[in-house]
Amino acid sequence: MDDYNSETDSDYASYWRDWFISTRGHEYFCEIDEDYLTDRFNLTGLQPEVHYYQYALDLITDVFDFDCDDETRESIEKSAKHLYGLVHARYIITTRGLQKMLEKYKKCDFGRCPRVLCRSHPLLPIGLSDVAHSKSVKLYCAKCEDVYSPKSSRHATIDGAYFGTSFPHILFQVYPALIPPKVNERYIPRCFGFKTHAMAALARWQEEQRANQDRRLLEAGVEVRRVESETIGDDSSSDDAS
């Protein structure tokens, strides 16, 4: 909260959401409408997950009026951040929330895909789990359909549950015109301009799979037996002789 020390306590209480959105590291979040926050139906099930739930909600909705010590105030502020994040995951899949996140997506507020062949396509935040405190937020590219870690350490510590596992996919279902064409271009390994031998790569993969299978059989106590096949050279020589 040090970034806001220049303001008075009353100013801070009056503009908590403005402060939260404008704080460095919170660029992925959009502002939740007050009407959504004051509708208790939208907050169903969140009270057991947030300590100081009512005080945290009062702080977010700018009606906080509780005289407490600094330690308690800090705990309430922490709970308010957590509550805002949990509500945020629900809000961004509503019509209004999708519109706000769409504007941020168009401005590339979430960054661009680091994959070279995606040509800097915009990213969207996504969680790998809907359970809080389990996975940090990742960035989803709709072009290569893969996820990446945020570049900034401030963003890398955001809880992925504050965005949920479904948000990007719901966004593209609502706005199908935004779905980019799939990437057909793939990097081709080359040596001195020549493609590496595909059959050689396949043979290496097959040998690796065979070795792994042999290991699993041995661990299970099954004897591994191989039938030696005749060489192609011998078959061809016998055919020539005939």
Side-chain angles (χ1 to χ4, degrees), residues 30-204:
C30 70
E31 184 175 358
I32 303 175
D33 294 333
E34 185 171 356
D35 292 343
Y36 189 88
L37 285 167
T38 54
D39 187 341
R40 294 307 176 102
F41 177 78
N42 299 324
L43 311 181
T44 302
L46 296 182
Q47 185 168 357
E49 299 186 37
V50 181
H51 196 42
Y52 293 116
Y53 171 82
Q54 188 58 54
Y55 291 133
L57 182 59
D58 291 345
L59 182 59
I60 294 173
T61 54
D62 305 329
V63 295
F64 183 79
D65 186 19
F66 176 58
D67 188 15
C68 56
D69 54 50
D70 292 341
E71 184 177 353
T72 304
R73 175 70 179 235
E74 184 177 353
S75 298
I76 294 174
E77 289 169 349
K78 184 177 180 180
S79 296
K81 292 180 182 179
H82 183 49
L83 177 60
Y84 190 92
L86 295 177
V87 178
H88 186 267
R90 299 181 177 186
Y91 177 73
I92 60 176
I93 58 176
T94 65
T95 301
R96 179 62 176 158
L98 287 171
Q99 291 174 351
K100 290 187 177 183
M101 295 297 279
L102 176 59
E103 292 301 317
K104 297 174 71 66
Y105 172 68
K106 289 180 176 179
K107 294 185 294 184
C108 299
D109 287 352
F110 309 115
R112 297 177 181 273
C113 183
R115 185 175 181 271
V116 174
L117 297 180
C118 282
R119 307 289 191 272
S120 299
H121 191 76
L123 298 169
L124 284 168
I126 188 173
L128 299 183
S129 173
D130 291 314
V131 180
H133 308 307
S134 58
K135 300 281 186 180
S136 61
V137 69
K138 303 300 177 185
L139 297 171
Y140 171 77
C141 175
K143 200 163 190 178
C144 63
E145 297 183 329
D146 209 344
V147 293
Y148 303 90
S149 296
K151 291 183 178 180
S152 172
S153 58
R154 295 191 301 272
H155 298 145
T157 58
I158 298 175
D159 199 319
Y162 296 165
F163 299 89
T165 58
S166 304
F167 159 64
H169 315 303
I170 294 177
L171 179 71
F172 289 121
Q173 285 185 356
V174 176
Y175 301 101
L178 296 177
I179 300 176
K182 301 308 175 187
V183 181
N184 294 324
E185 186 179 5
R186 292 290 186 268
Y187 171 73
I188 302 175
R190 297 177 184 271
C191 291
F192 301 107
F194 297 97
K195 296 180 182 179
T196 55
H197 201 297
M199 292 303 296
L202 177 60
R204 288 195 297 271

Side-chain angles (χ1 to χ4, degrees), residues 223-234:
E223 183 180 358
V224 178
R225 294 183 179 180
R226 296 289 180 199
V227 178
E228 298 296 335
S229 60
E230 297 180 354
T231 61
I232 296 177
D234 293 342

